[in-house]
Amino acid sequence: YVLYKEHNFIDIQILADTNGKDALQYIANQPLDFMLGLNPENIKGDARINLGLAFELYQDLKPQEINVNVSADVSNVLIKNISQNADLKLPKATVKVTGKNYSAKGDAFYDDIPVSFNFKQDLYAPNAATGTFKLRADKNVLQKLQIQKFC
């Protein structure tokens, strides 16, 4: 039997509903190997994941030879102690991961301070991140964030 190049590829699409902890544990493994320094034990919430993998069928396939396209809509997420003993709450956000980059967009509450974010990171150029983080800060918020210059 001879495998022709156009016939020995596989394209997998999986749609799954899961919790935030399991979703983060999944993307921490190959071929994604993506963790962000977060402890899955500190994460609660829900995720609807659309997992796409495409690759050629042959032995000794390397993780970087897998075309990855993952998107997740997360909701009701709580990340305990994300920074300075503060929690991060994400009522709704979108996360996308490919073999080249990841992005996250949504609204959150950092220690009950409303924050909007839109972030993108190239996985092969860690210093080439782009993003915006917006928050509306009054004197109380600045004090809570320990920003002295404007207080």
Side-chain angles (χ1 to χ4, degrees):
Y1 180 69
V2 177
L3 288 176
Y4 295 97
K5 188 163 181 96
E6 62 270 8
H7 296 296
N8 64 338
F9 280 85
I10 189 165
D11 190 347
I12 301 169
Q13 295 291 320
I14 299 172
L15 182 62
D17 291 318
T18 187
N19 62 57
K21 176 183 168 184
D22 288 347
L24 190 59
Q25 285 177 325
Y26 172 75
I27 64 174
N29 292 303
Q30 293 290 346
L32 302 177
D33 199 19
F34 173 80
M35 196 56 184
L36 288 176
L38 300 174
N39 180 353
E41 297 298 322
N42 291 341
I43 298 174
K44 295 180 176 22
D46 302 308
R48 171 162 271 214
I49 299 173
N50 186 354
L51 167 67
L53 300 173
F55 50 91
E56 189 173 1
L57 296 171
Y58 66 89
Q59 288 183 330
D60 302 321
L61 183 71
K62 295 177 181 65
Q64 60 269 24
E65 296 174 303
I66 299 172
N67 184 6
V68 177
N69 189 3
V70 180
S71 63
D73 293 320
V74 296
S75 59
N76 304 316
V77 173
L78 172 64
I79 304 173
K80 301 289 281 177
N81 299 317
I82 193 164
S83 173
Q84 301 176 359
N85 294 320
D87 297 339
L88 182 69
K89 298 174 190 167
L90 292 108
K92 196 173 188 180
T94 302
V95 178
K96 294 183 180 181
V97 181
T98 69
K100 297 178 182 178
N101 59 53
Y102 69 89
S103 62
K105 182 178 182 178
D107 295 312
F109 293 91
Y110 174 78
D111 200 21
D112 295 325
I113 300 168
V115 179
S116 294
F117 60 93
N118 187 355
F119 183 79
K120 185 173 183 178
Q121 172 70 57
D122 185 332
L123 296 175
Y124 298 105
N127 296 328
T130 60
T132 57
F133 300 87
K134 297 178 183 177
L135 66 98
R136 185 167 294 185
D138 60 15
K139 185 175 180 179
N140 294 330
V141 168
L142 294 173
Q143 286 175 341
K144 193 173 199 177
L145 294 174
Q146 299 175 355
I147 298 173
Q148 302 299 320
K149 185 175 180 181
F150 302 107
C151 296

